[in-house]
């Protein structure tokens, strides 16, 4: 049953990935350097595919690599699943902000990172299982934009951009924490949005809110970079467009593969070569232990608990773990974190202390107490944890966006804007369908002679088609 469920999830994941890899690419390709680019892309694909080995894909190996695609709900898996399955000592330290650990260390059992698939070149491949989560690419673009604004807006408590930069540098120097500004892709997207926010604030003369009338939160131009401008910018083209596909294939601008830039450039210049990259991505997904879907969150979570969680518990000998609430994770924080008011540094934290004593197990008491972890208890702990985490994230977003109140994104507005975009697409389709009628009709009136001529033309076409079909049938009988 688990295999069937995984197959269904993988099929839908592949469909999402295909949409992500095709939807944002241009439809035309230049012939300039096509032969060279084809060789580059195919050469990379052959070497990438050659490294994959067949085996029992559904068996957990010694090291689990959670390839965290941004804005897919991966933080809930990290805090509400993985941190309940692995101790801090088993979690490879600082794996979110580049490789700063020895993956061959026997206590290193869990890597959670935004680093792309090329990170596996640094891991013991034969001992590593990979899991990931995919999301509808349109929703992921919305979420990436919203989070870029949210994190950058936290800096607006400072009087100017220079002050904000100096303060964040000082805090991070004193702290052992990991900042969002250390982590791909936010280390590119947040500073870009931060500079834009300060520029717009300076242009409007401070924190004054221009109007209280109803506005589109995704197009508050005097306060925040509009969504359409954000997604059409070269920075977004480099990082966000086809981001999931490039991350799964190890071709982001954060790749450990030296030739990633050239392959990515060739695919953008000659979009039809993207099909080769897509095949590699599909092959990678097929080799993974688990692929979840953000849209099927509950089903994916149950599958993760039964397929991955159960195997972790089995390998650890039903490890005696504390079913903790771990209140600190509600703010994505860690004991080494800076204070909450400096919340621009409060994202995506990982262990910073390496393999130290088990005192750092974050063992806070709850009503369930200690006991042998089971899949059922894991799911109960997950449900409790995710409810608290979602509430915390919602409150944090409200606080973060206080300085840009009109850009207070909501799920309802998100869906409404998507519907509007869908409506525009349907309008264009209808316009194309009505184009032929506008040739013979104008201002709502049609010439009788034009209608007669149109009818005769259609009749003639039908007659010609019928004649051709009849002739072909006669020919076929003669041959027989």
């Amino acid at each position: 049953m688990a295999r069937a469920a995984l197959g269904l999830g993988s099929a839908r994941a592949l469909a999402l990935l295909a949409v992500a890899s095709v939807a944002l690419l241009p439809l035309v390709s230049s012939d300039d350097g096509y032969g060279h680019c084809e060789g580059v892309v195919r050469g990379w694909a052959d070497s990438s595919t050659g490294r994959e080995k067949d085996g029992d894909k559904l068996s957990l190996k010694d090291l689990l690599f959670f390839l965290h695609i941004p804005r897919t709900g991966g933080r809930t898996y990290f805090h509400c699943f993985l941190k309940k399955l692995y101790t801090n000592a088993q979690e490879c330290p600082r794996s979110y902000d580049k490789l700063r650990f020895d993956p061959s260390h026997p206590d290193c059992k869990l890597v959670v990172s935004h680093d792309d698939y090329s990170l596996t070149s640094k891991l013991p491949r034969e001992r590593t299982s990979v899991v990931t989560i995919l999301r509808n690419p349109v929703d992921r673009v919305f979420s990436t934009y919203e989070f870029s604004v949210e994190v950058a807006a936290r800096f607006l408590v400072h009087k100017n951009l220079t002050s904000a930069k100096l303060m964040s540098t000082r805090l991070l120097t004193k702290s052992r924490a990991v900042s969002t500004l250390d982590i791909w892709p936010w280390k590119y997207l947040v500073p870009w949005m931060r500079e834009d926010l300060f520029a717009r604030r300076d242009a409007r003369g401070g924190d004054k809110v221009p109007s209280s009338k109803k506005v589109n939160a995704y197009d508050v131009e005097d306060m925040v970079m509009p969504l359409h401008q954000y997604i059409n910018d070269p920075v977004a083209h480099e990082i966000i467009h086809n981001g999931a596909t490039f991350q799964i294939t190890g071709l982001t601008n954060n790749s450990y593969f030296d030739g990633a830039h050239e392959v990515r450039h060739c695919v953008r210049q000659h979009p039809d070569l993207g099909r080769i990259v897509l095949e590699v991505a599909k092959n990678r997904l097929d080799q993974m232990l688990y692929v979840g879907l953000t849209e099927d969150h509950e089903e994916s979570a149950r599958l993760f608990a039964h397929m991955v969680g159960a195997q972790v518990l089995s390998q650890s000998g039903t490890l005696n773990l504390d079913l903790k609430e771990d209140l600190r994770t509600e703010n994505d924080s860690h004991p080494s974190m800076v204070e909450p008011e400096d919340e621009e540094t409060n994202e995506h934290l990982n262990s910073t202390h390496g393999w130290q004593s088990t005192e750092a197990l974050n063992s806070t008491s709850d009503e369930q107490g200690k006991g042998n972890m089971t899949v059922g208890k894991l799911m109960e702990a997950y449900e409790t944890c995710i409810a608290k985490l979602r509430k915390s994230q919602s409150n944090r977003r409200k606080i973060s966006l206080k300085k840009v109140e009109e850009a207070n994104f909501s799920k309802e507005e998100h869906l409404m804007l998507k519907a509007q975009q869908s409506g525009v697409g349907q309008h264009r389709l209808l316009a194309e369908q009505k184009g032929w009628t506008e040739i013979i009709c104008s201002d709502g009136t049609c010439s009788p002679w034009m209608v007669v001529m149109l009818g005769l033309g259609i009749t003639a076409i039908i007659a010609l088609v019928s004649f051709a079909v009849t002739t072909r049938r006669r020919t076929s009988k003669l041959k027989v």
Side-chain angles (χ1 to χ4, degrees), residues 394-468:
S394 176
N395 292 336
R396 184 183 57 208
R397 169 177 281 198
K398 291 178 182 178
I399 294 172
S400 300
L401 296 176
K402 277 187 176 180
K403 295 289 185 178
V404 285
E405 289 186 10
E406 292 196 6
N408 190 10
F409 312 109
S410 67
K411 184 176 181 180
E412 291 74 19
E413 191 161 19
H414 178 156
L415 295 174
M416 183 172 64
L417 185 57
K418 283 183 65 177
Q420 290 174 353
Q421 296 299 319
S422 176
V424 170
Q426 293 176 1
H427 176 74
R428 289 176 179 171
L429 178 62
L430 288 173
E432 291 173 359
Q433 292 174 341
K434 291 190 295 184
W436 66 270
T437 61
E438 293 174 355
I439 296 175
I440 63 171
C441 303
S442 60
D443 299 328
T445 59
C446 300
S447 168
W449 286 107
M450 293 299 293
V451 173
V452 171
M453 292 298 293
L454 177 63
L456 290 174
I458 293 175
T459 302
I461 292 173
I462 293 174
L464 287 172
V465 171
S466 300
F467 176 76

Side-chain angles (χ1 to χ4, degrees), residues 242-358:
N242 292 306
T245 305
F246 286 138
Q247 199 169 351
I248 290 169
T249 51
L251 294 175
T252 68
N253 65 339
N254 192 48
S255 178
Y256 289 90
F257 169 52
D258 292 336
H261 173 76
E262 186 176 15
V263 176
R264 201 168 60 249
H265 170 75
C266 283
V267 169
R268 290 202 174 109
Q269 188 176 9
H270 307 285
D272 56 313
L273 296 178
R275 299 291 180 182
I276 301 174
V277 177
L278 177 60
E279 287 304 313
V280 173
K282 290 163 65 177
N283 182 61
R284 292 267 168 84
L285 290 175
D286 188 54
Q287 295 294 323
M288 290 183 185
L289 171 64
Y290 166 88
V291 177
L293 297 176
T294 306
E295 287 72 22
D296 287 340
H297 185 81
E298 292 184 5
E299 180 182 351
S300 293
R302 283 194 295 270
L303 185 59
F304 185 89
H306 283 84
M307 289 199 62
V308 182
Q311 292 190 68
V312 175
L313 295 173
S314 176
Q315 289 185 5
S316 64
T318 59
L319 185 64
N320 203 35
L321 289 180
D322 181 13
L323 288 178
K324 53 190 176 296
E325 298 295 341
D326 197 357
L327 298 180
R328 282 188 290 270
T329 64
E330 292 181 22
N331 291 316
D332 282 356
S333 61
H334 186 274
S336 63
M337 280 306 297
V338 294
E339 293 303 312
E341 54 263 34
D342 298 308
E343 207 166 333
E344 65 268 20
T345 63
N346 279 11
E347 298 298 323
H348 296 290
L349 294 180
N350 220 331
S351 294
T352 59
H353 45 71
W355 301 280
Q356 297 181 359
S357 69
T358 55

Side-chain angles (χ1 to χ4, degrees), residues 232-247:
N232 287 319
D233 192 279
V235 174
H237 277 273
E238 176 68 11
I239 297 173
I240 302 173
H241 291 217
N242 292 306
T245 305
F246 286 138
Q247 199 169 351

Side-chain angles (χ1 to χ4, degrees), residues 42-60:
R42 290 193 181 279
W44 162 81
D46 291 342
S47 63
S48 298
T49 305
R51 289 199 297 265
E52 303 294 347
K53 296 181 180 180
D54 292 331
D56 188 355
K57 296 178 290 187
L58 301 184
S59 293
L60 175 66

